[in-house]
Amino acid sequence: MNIEKKENQNRHSGYVALLGRTNVGKSTFMNAVMEAKISIVSDKPQTTRKQILGIKTTPKGQIIFFDSPGIHIPHFRLNEKMMKDVHHSLLDADLILYFIDMDTKWDDEFAISLFKDLNKTVFLIINKIDKYNKARILEKISKFKDNFQWQEIVPISALKGNNVDLVEDLIFNYLPESDYYYPEEESTLQTERFYVSEMVREKILNFTHDEMPFVTTVKVEDIHEKENVIVIRAEIYVEKRSQKKIIIGKQGSMLKMIGEQARVELEDYFDKKIYLDLFVKVVPGWRNSPRILTEIES
Ligand SMILES: Nc1nc2c(ncn2[C@@H]2O[C@H](COP(=O)(O)OP(=O)(O)OP(=O)(O)O)[C@@H](O)[C@H]2O)c(=O)[nH]1
Ligand SMILES: [Mg+2]
């Protein structure tokens, strides 16, 4: 009993916000460190639309990651909601991982203004080092190192897994002494409905381009188990009839591909057979509708 208590006292636990522009690899990093697919990933902008938790429990303690939407200027209610999640993540965090990637060309003054007065520990994470040589990486470090009082600067490749463990170790060095916040077996707090809708949305992001990633969302209408099969009915919302045509594709080919790929992934996740029925619905202006945003993005 006493031994257990002593061990608990040596644990370090806390909240860590993943912050940065869109596409820099925040969600890829979260999945890498969690060794599980928690957040969806794509090469399109604004993939993550709300705060998603990844709870990493180790003997050293517990890190609760907040994967967040990329920093951007909001033009729709949806985007205002996304940026609110970014702010909440920052306020609640014990530590911030500020991500840039090796491709980054922008200056980061605005991003830094979001956390510079919060008085929190901030690491600079430079992602996608697999794409460049050492000289370019050193160049990037020297360009960004004086922009803020970073507690650590770590070049990583979230995709290849380089230095992901190092970031985890460094986080534990800075987190306050505290026991676990969540039960050990908990890894994320997403509902099944939300997870399913995200997997379908990821496939839409993978297979479409131009404005399609921005104008689509997914609402799971029904999910139930019947004779060992999980039966799911989901609706894909678009804003115009022309967009509906694109999602359905020639003789339904696009919708079929989206459904098949999402089903494979969901069967892996639930470890059960999945029957997935997808429909496309035109809902003009859904990105500005508070009712729909509450319904689908939670
Ligand atoms: N080469 C390379 N590509 C990466 C790396 N990490 C992420 N990517 C790619 O970068 C793209 C964006 O990754 P995401 O993880 O979705 O980026 P994000 O920062 O979460 O983006 P938002 O959710 O839109 O804010 C995807 O195509 C990833 O495969 C990396 O270390 N190396
Ligand atoms: Mg993301």
Side-chain angles (χ1 to χ4, degrees), residues 30-137:
M30 183 152 98
N31 292 342
V33 76
M34 293 296 301
E35 298 170 68
K37 182 148 179 184
I38 306 274
S39 262
I40 62 167
V41 165
S42 91
D43 60 354
K44 309 295 189 303
Q46 297 176 22
T47 298
T48 305
R49 284 187 179 160
K50 66 167 221 169
Q51 183 191 80
I52 293 173
L53 261 63
I55 305 165
K56 175 92 186 191
T57 306
T58 82
K60 283 189 185 174
Q62 195 172 57
I63 309 173
I64 301 111
F65 290 101
F66 296 135
D67 187 13
S68 318
I71 299 165
H72 64 290
I73 297 163
H75 292 298
F76 294 90
R77 275 214 175 90
L78 167 68
N79 304 80
E80 284 167 15
K81 204 163 165 278
M82 287 161 70
M83 280 306 288
K84 253 192 205 149
D85 273 17
V86 172
H87 287 284
H88 284 150
S89 297
L90 290 180
L91 292 177
D92 293 342
D94 294 295
L95 189 152
I96 296 164
L97 300 186
Y98 176 61
F99 278 74
I100 59 170
D101 67 17
M102 286 297 298
D103 305 319
T104 300
K105 301 250 178 336
W106 57 74
D107 85 62
D108 53 356
E109 212 175 307
F110 175 67
I112 289 175
S113 75
L114 298 178
F115 58 78
K116 80 173 191 324
D117 296 325
L118 295 180
N119 204 15
K120 304 214 174 187
T121 303
V122 187
F123 295 179
L124 175 66
I125 306 294
I126 304 174
N127 191 26
K128 307 194 187 179
I129 58 168
D130 53 289
K131 291 172 78 174
Y132 293 88
N133 63 28
K134 208 169 167 190
R136 295 288 299 278
I137 299 166

Side-chain angles (χ1 to χ4, degrees), residues 22-262:
T22 185
N23 252 328
V24 292
K26 301 178 293 297
S27 301
T28 308
F29 170 81
M30 183 152 98
N31 292 342
V33 76
M34 293 296 301
E35 298 170 68
K37 182 148 179 184
I38 306 274
S39 262
I40 62 167
V41 165
S42 91
D43 60 354
K44 309 295 189 303
Q46 297 176 22
T47 298
T48 305
R49 284 187 179 160
K50 66 167 221 169
Q51 183 191 80
I52 293 173
L53 261 63
I55 305 165
K56 175 92 186 191
T57 306
T58 82
K60 283 189 185 174
Q62 195 172 57
I63 309 173
I64 301 111
F65 290 101
F66 296 135
D67 187 13
S68 318
I71 299 165
H72 64 290
I73 297 163
H75 292 298
F76 294 90
R77 275 214 175 90
L78 167 68
N79 304 80
E80 284 167 15
K81 204 163 165 278
M82 287 161 70
M83 280 306 288
K84 253 192 205 149
D85 273 17
V86 172
H87 287 284
H88 284 150
S89 297
L90 290 180
L91 292 177
D92 293 342
D94 294 295
L95 189 152
I96 296 164
L97 300 186
Y98 176 61
F99 278 74
I100 59 170
D101 67 17
M102 286 297 298
D103 305 319
T104 300
K105 301 250 178 336
W106 57 74
D107 85 62
D108 53 356
E109 212 175 307
F110 175 67
I112 289 175
S113 75
L114 298 178
F115 58 78
K116 80 173 191 324
D117 296 325
L118 295 180
N119 204 15
K120 304 214 174 187
T121 303
V122 187
F123 295 179
L124 175 66
I125 306 294
I126 304 174
N127 191 26
K128 307 194 187 179
I129 58 168
D130 53 289
K131 291 172 78 174
Y132 293 88
N133 63 28
K134 208 169 167 190
R136 295 288 299 278
I137 299 166
L138 293 173
E139 207 178 285
K140 195 61 114 188
I141 294 174
S142 69
K143 189 159 175 270
F144 280 83
K145 74 177 182 354
D146 296 324
N147 291 6
F148 186 75
Q149 304 76 46
W150 316 108
Q151 255 80 8
E152 303 282 351
I153 298 177
V154 195
I156 70 163
S157 169
L159 192 68
K160 309 270 182 210
N162 303 111
N163 284 349
V164 169
D165 291 351
L166 174 64
V167 176
E168 185 185 316
D169 284 347
L170 290 170
I171 291 171
F172 278 120
N173 291 347
Y174 288 86
L175 287 184
E177 219 170 88
S178 157
D179 204 354
Y180 299 156
Y181 287 83
Y182 293 94
E184 278 178 60
E185 62 283 1
E186 194 71 76
S187 64
T188 183
L189 301 178
Q190 303 176 62
T191 62
E192 283 183 350
R193 268 174 199 262
F194 180 73
Y195 191 82
V196 169
S197 66
E198 285 288 90
M199 288 306 134
V200 175
R201 199 164 63 79
E202 185 184 67
K203 304 311 161 204
I204 300 171
L205 293 177
N206 289 347
F207 296 130
T208 64
H209 43 85
D210 300 329
E211 91 274 22
M212 295 311 292
F214 299 103
V215 298
T216 41
T217 192
V218 180
K219 183 179 176 203
V220 173
E221 289 288 339
D222 184 38
I223 174 164
H224 66 271
E225 207 170 329
K226 196 173 147 191
E227 289 155 16
N228 244 356
V229 178
I230 301 179
V231 181
I232 301 167
R233 182 194 147 94
E235 280 179 342
I236 299 170
Y237 289 8
V238 291
E239 297 204 317
K240 296 181 191 153
R241 281 170 64 98
S242 56
Q243 295 160 350
K244 178 173 173 173
K245 266 176 94 173
I246 294 172
I247 295 283
I248 291 175
K250 257 200 188 126
Q251 291 163 344
S253 55
M254 174 68 95
L255 193 61
K256 194 166 165 229
M257 194 156 69
I258 291 167
E260 271 173 13
Q261 299 260 333

